[in-house]
Amino acid sequence: MRHKEGNKEKAIIEAAIETFAEDGFYKSKIVDIAKKANVAIGSIYVYYKNKDDILLKIFDQIWEPIYNDMKRIASEKSYTPTQKFEYMLDSVFDAFEKYPEKAVVFVNEQNRLMKERPKSFTNYYELFIKEGEKIIKSGIKSSEFKNLNVRIFRRFVLGGLRELLREWTKNPTKRSLNQIRDSVKYFCKTGILDK
Amino acid sequence: MRHKEGNKEKAIIEAAIETFAEDGFYKSKIVDIAKKANVAIGSIYVYYKNKDDILLKIFDQIWEPIYNDMKRIASEKSYTPTQKFEYMLDSVFDAFEKYPEKAVVFVNEQNRLMKERPKSFTNYYELFIKEGEKIIKSGIKSSEFKNLNVRIFRRFVLGGLRELLREWTKNPTKRSLNQIRDSVKYFCKTGILDK
DNA sequence: ATTATTTTTGAATATCAATTCACAAAAAAA
DNA sequence: TTTTTTTGTGAATTGATATTCAAAAATAAT
């Protein structure tokens, strides 16, 4: 039996992340991914069903670790809802700080993919959202948070986060992301009015 | 000289808005736009240079009226910065409330188009942003607003707005949009903490 | 060394859809 | 009525690229 030459599956998905980040999903060519991964075109179809399948697996890779982090945070009894909320934001920022190309793919491709392939899109994202909403609800219950519409609030915050990540990816330094972290936390907690 | 049969230019752009909203830009076919507009394929290329050109003109149509509204609001001396900020949000909500398909095109296509065709993208958007930032700065100067990073704040708010519009387009009623309006204004002003 | 199994390959295929352009139709001008 | 100008048409062209698959290469088993 023949051995696999290194890890082609991993090389392909990493090349795809770079390519999708650079050119966008639709303008990315399989042949370019193959070149970047140093494999033949045919090898891509050995490890992945098609171009869509690669993107779907990238999103698995993005959301599984963030969700696992969330679970840990949510179950930590000693944290207040405010702390949990801040750590939740941090787990998203941390994940993308390590791998800015994934942030680019997230900000550019997730919404379209979720719309087009709702059944196939990673389940970890939905689980992440659920945990996040639970944290907000617990804060409302303990009167630490205002009683605002949880669904609207979490969409607003995630949308804002995505937009800031989009900007950050143009200059993905630790320092610029820290400024974003602090601003978002501060604003989410107390709003814009100075009183 | 022959007269134009009705207004093909308008019929085409309206059919394109519907088609892009339904199928997304890349999956939209020129032949479908032609059918929906009741014109021949060739006629589309009489009035528009290509598929991209139609999308660029749609964004002109979206942002010109919003920017004009903004100018009016910004120059109204009797408004406080907080009022101006709220009316600014309203002018965005109002524009999309009238034409939900435009909201779909905005939430799904603007970022990619701005990245790919920065020189050709409507200038009205940039002007709108500038006016918005001026309002925030005036609020900071008058100590009505906290001294937070204007750039980060406006991106966060616009990103949140976009995400809520995305959700709203799935059920684009006046009532559901009003709930979003109120929630956004309330949250932006005072944040989540209940103190 | 020979055979069997698994992995890799990339030229060829198949499909798809944007754009063109030669011609037709309609209205105005002569 | 005939000619000129403008507007409209859609079959044919063009170009692109995702995917397939028959063959080759590499290793393991006998």
Side-chain angles (χ1 to χ4, degrees):
Chain A
M1 180 163 70
R2 185 181 178 182
H3 271 160
K4 289 189 182 178
E5 302 172 4
N7 194 336
K8 286 194 164 35
E9 190 171 355
K10 189 157 171 265
I12 291 164
I13 204 167
E14 283 170 358
I17 290 168
E18 276 186 55
T19 309
F20 293 162
E22 179 89 5
D23 302 334
F25 180 76
Y26 279 110
K27 298 212 165 168
S28 291
K29 297 176 210 160
I30 292 290
V31 61
D32 288 341
I33 296 172
K35 270 183 204 150
K36 195 163 273 177
N38 277 310
V39 302
I41 292 170
S43 296
I44 290 183
Y45 291 89
V46 171
Y47 293 98
Y48 299 93
K49 214 160 71 236
N50 50 38
K51 205 178 153 187
D52 262 33
D53 186 41
I54 307 176
L55 189 59
L56 288 165
K57 294 225 164 78
I58 291 171
F59 277 103
D60 255 337
Q61 220 179 76
I62 289 175
W63 289 109
E64 188 180 357
I66 295 177
Y67 167 64
N68 286 331
D69 224 29
M70 272 293 276
K71 259 196 315 198
R72 187 183 50 71
I73 293 161
S75 65
E76 182 55 72
K77 298 244 162 58
S78 67
Y79 295 159
T80 64
T82 304
Q83 283 175 314
K84 285 185 180 176
F85 176 72
E86 293 193 9
Y87 294 151
M88 173 178 78
L89 295 180
D90 279 330
S91 62
V92 175
F93 284 123
D94 289 344
F96 290 122
E97 181 173 300
K98 283 184 220 145
Y99 208 149
E101 290 88 351
K102 282 188 183 169
V104 178
V105 175
F106 161 57
V107 302
N108 289 326
E109 314 297 344
Q110 172 157 332
N111 283 312
R112 187 189 42 76
L113 189 64
M114 281 181 74
K115 193 177 175 187
E116 276 175 22
R117 308 288 308 276
K119 304 287 178 198
S120 314
F121 191 81
T122 183
N123 207 35
Y124 291 113
Y125 180 67
E126 188 58 28
L127 294 169
F128 161 76
I129 295 294
K130 282 217 180 91
E131 287 300 323
E133 292 197 349
K134 270 194 231 163
I135 291 173
I136 308 302
K137 280 174 195 156
S138 74
I140 292 172
K141 209 165 186 180
S142 72
S143 299
E144 208 170 314
F145 296 162
K146 292 194 186 84
N147 186 19
L148 26 74
N149 184 311
V150 175
R151 203 130 193 279
I152 291 180
F153 174 72
R154 73 100 167 144
R155 275 189 192 277
F156 188 79
V157 172
L158 265 175
L161 222 64
R162 169 156 40 222
E163 197 55 34
L164 289 171
L165 280 172
R166 181 191 310 285
E167 179 65 9
W168 172 73
T169 57
K170 292 173 191 164
N171 170 34
T173 65
K174 189 156 189 162
R175 196 180 158 282
S176 65
L177 194 63
N178 280 339
Q179 200 195 355
I180 291 172
R181 272 178 212 256
D182 295 342
S183 302
V184 168
K185 289 175 188 172
Y186 181 49
F187 170 68
C188 282
K189 285 188 285 186
T190 64
I192 192 173
L193 290 190
D194 195 14
K195 30 160 202 187
Chain B
M1 180 164 65
R2 186 183 176 183
H3 270 162
K4 288 189 184 179
E5 303 171 4
N7 194 336
K8 287 198 165 29
E9 189 170 357
K10 188 156 172 265
I12 291 164
I13 204 166
E14 282 171 359
I17 290 168
E18 276 187 55
T19 308
F20 294 162
E22 180 90 5
D23 301 333
F25 181 76
Y26 278 112
K27 298 211 166 170
S28 291
K29 298 176 209 161
I30 292 291
V31 60
D32 288 341
I33 296 172
K35 269 181 205 153
K36 195 163 273 176
N38 278 311
V39 302
I41 292 170
S43 296
I44 290 184
Y45 291 90
V46 171
Y47 292 98
Y48 300 91
K49 211 160 72 231
N50 51 36
K51 206 177 152 189
D52 261 33
D53 186 39
I54 306 176
L55 189 59
L56 288 165
K57 293 226 164 78
I58 291 172
F59 277 102
D60 254 338
Q61 222 179 75
I62 288 175
W63 289 110
E64 187 180 358
I66 295 177
Y67 167 64
N68 286 331
D69 224 28
M70 271 293 277
K71 260 196 315 197
R72 187 183 49 71
I73 293 161
S75 67
E76 182 55 72
K77 296 245 164 56
S78 67
Y79 294 158
T80 64
T82 303
Q83 283 176 313
K84 284 184 181 177
F85 176 71
E86 294 194 10
Y87 293 153
M88 172 179 75
L89 296 179
D90 281 330
S91 63
V92 175
F93 284 123
D94 290 343
F96 291 121
E97 181 173 300
K98 283 184 220 143
Y99 208 148
E101 290 88 352
K102 281 186 183 170
V104 178
V105 175
F106 161 57
V107 301
N108 290 325
E109 314 298 343
Q110 173 157 332
N111 283 312
R112 186 189 43 75
L113 189 65
M114 279 181 74
K115 193 178 175 186
E116 276 176 23
R117 308 288 308 275
K119 304 285 177 200
S120 314
F121 191 80
T122 182
N123 207 37
Y124 290 113
Y125 180 66
E126 189 58 30
L127 293 171
F128 161 76
I129 295 294
K130 282 218 181 91
E131 286 300 322
E133 292 197 350
K134 270 194 230 163
I135 290 173
I136 307 303
K137 280 175 195 154
S138 75
I140 292 172
K141 208 163 188 181
S142 72
S143 298
E144 208 169 312
F145 296 162
K146 292 194 185 83
N147 186 18
L148 25 75
N149 184 311
V150 176
R151 205 129 190 277
I152 291 181
F153 173 73
R154 72 99 166 144
R155 275 188 192 276
F156 189 78
V157 172
L158 265 175
L161 221 65
R162 169 156 42 218
E163 198 54 33
L164 289 172
L165 281 173
R166 181 192 311 284
E167 179 66 8
W168 172 73
T169 56
K170 292 172 190 164
N171 171 35
T173 66
K174 188 156 190 162
R175 197 181 157 282
S176 66
L177 195 63
N178 280 339
Q179 200 194 354
I180 291 172
R181 274 178 210 256
D182 295 342
S183 302
V184 169
K185 289 176 188 171
Y186 183 48
F187 170 69
C188 282
K189 284 187 285 185
T190 64
I192 193 174
L193 290 190
D194 195 15
K195 30 163 201 186

